[in-house]
Amino acid sequence: QITLKESGSTVLRPTQTLTLTCSFSGFSLSTSGEGVAWIRQPPGKALEWLGLIYWNDVDRYNALLRSRLSVTRDPSKNQVVITLTNVDPLDTGTYFCARSRSISPYYFDSWGQGLKVTVSS
Amino acid sequence: NFLLTQPQSVSGSPGETVTISCTANRGNIASNYVHWYQQRPGRAPTTVIFEDNQRPSGIPDRFSGSVDSSSNSASLSISGLRAEDEADYFCQSHEGANVAFGGGTKLTVL
């Protein structure tokens, strides 16, 4: 059974750095083809893909956020960390991590429950 | 930017069939797979259709997906509508490393 769960800072001030951790089980980022993605959803709005990282350390990012984003992995801990610098109230929303395998690129087959993040002065 | 456009809302009565469209603004939507997610309030999305027309285990065959190159769009059809189908539905695909989600369609079961 595959599970993912997001954790981290949930209330930030503008210009701070958001750091979230995705802890997962049921698959390994040491296994060829495996990956973890981050997706967010502002309140009442659509989903927005942020980025992902694969087992071989290849990463991909939303071009609009690339300059502020970083996704790293720690296969030994079954964790993936996303960092978003210089946050703004527009970064408020629920952040999800999801499994994504290279065999079906950019398909997110299992999702975490999501973590609500608020950016406010 | 690669964009996917969905109707904001659709509705139907129990037992009816509804179809939700997802239109790409450029390229050929058939070039990459389209996936459909269902999201209930306060919950994470779950897959109802992946790779254009595949159903995950546990999804009834009332749910079906298709892609039409002539209109550059994908569709999700739900037949035999049930109250439990009321939710938001999002399509998703990609163009290279540009991943796009549709704006979401709220399905109301009357």
Side-chain angles (χ1 to χ4, degrees):
Chain A
Q1 183 191 3
I2 292 171
T3 64
L4 303 98
K5 187 173 183 179
E6 306 84 355
S7 62
S9 43
T10 58
V11 179
L12 294 100
R13 304 290 187 199
T15 75
Q16 289 185 321
T17 296
L18 170 68
T19 301
L20 299 178
T21 299
C22 176
S23 302
F24 55 88
S25 63
F27 68 100
S28 172
L29 267 184
S30 298
T31 301
S32 176
E34 296 288 358
V36 172
W38 286 92
I39 298 122
R40 71 180 180 182
Q41 186 173 35
K45 295 192 176 181
L47 299 160
E48 179 183 30
W49 176 72
L50 300 178
L52 63 76
I53 192 163
Y54 284 116
W55 84 102
N56 55 1
D57 229 14
V58 168
D59 54 13
R60 296 285 183 265
Y61 296 97
N62 182 326
L64 297 176
L65 296 166
R66 179 61 185 96
S67 62
R68 301 166 53 209
L69 264 178
S70 174
V71 178
T72 57
R73 66 188 184 103
D74 187 340
S76 65
K77 295 182 180 177
N78 278 356
Q79 290 181 336
V80 169
V81 174
I82 187 170
T83 301
L84 180 66
T85 62
N86 192 26
V87 298
D88 175 89
L90 290 175
D91 295 311
T92 293
T94 299
Y95 285 69
F96 299 96
C97 62
R99 179 194 179 201
S100 182
R101 294 185 294 166
S102 61
I103 193 171
S104 186
Y106 305 113
Y107 166 46
F108 314 113
D109 61 12
S110 299
W111 296 60
Q113 63 189 27
L115 186 69
K116 199 166 290 187
V117 172
T118 301
V119 180
S120 174
S121 55
Chain B
N1 275 359
F2 176 62
L3 299 174
L4 298 172
T5 301
Q6 299 179 233
Q8 279 197 318
S9 63
V10 298
S11 63
S13 299
E16 290 186 343
T17 298
V18 296
T19 299
I20 300 171
S21 63
C22 171
T23 303
N25 68 326
R26 67 186 194 190
N28 180 2
I29 198 169
S31 296
N32 294 295
Y33 287 129
V34 177
H35 317 289
W36 291 90
Y37 304 93
Q38 177 192 71
Q39 187 180 33
R40 295 195 171 94
R43 306 293 297 274
T46 58
T47 305
V48 291
I49 293 289
F50 68 100
E51 294 180 356
D52 295 344
N53 53 22
Q54 303 299 302
R55 283 187 309 276
S57 60
I59 300 299
D61 60 6
R62 301 187 297 107
F63 290 81
S64 63
S66 63
V67 172
D68 180 4
S69 294
S70 66
S71 59
N72 213 27
S73 65
S75 294
L76 170 69
S77 290
I78 309 171
S79 62
L81 207 57
R82 303 175 66 158
E84 67 208 47
D85 298 331
E86 187 161 293
D88 292 328
Y89 291 84
F90 295 90
C91 61
Q92 178 252 314
S93 187
H94 69 100
E95 180 189 58
N98 296 313
V99 178
F101 286 91
T105 299
K106 182 174 180 59
L107 168 61
T108 300
V109 181
L110 302 170

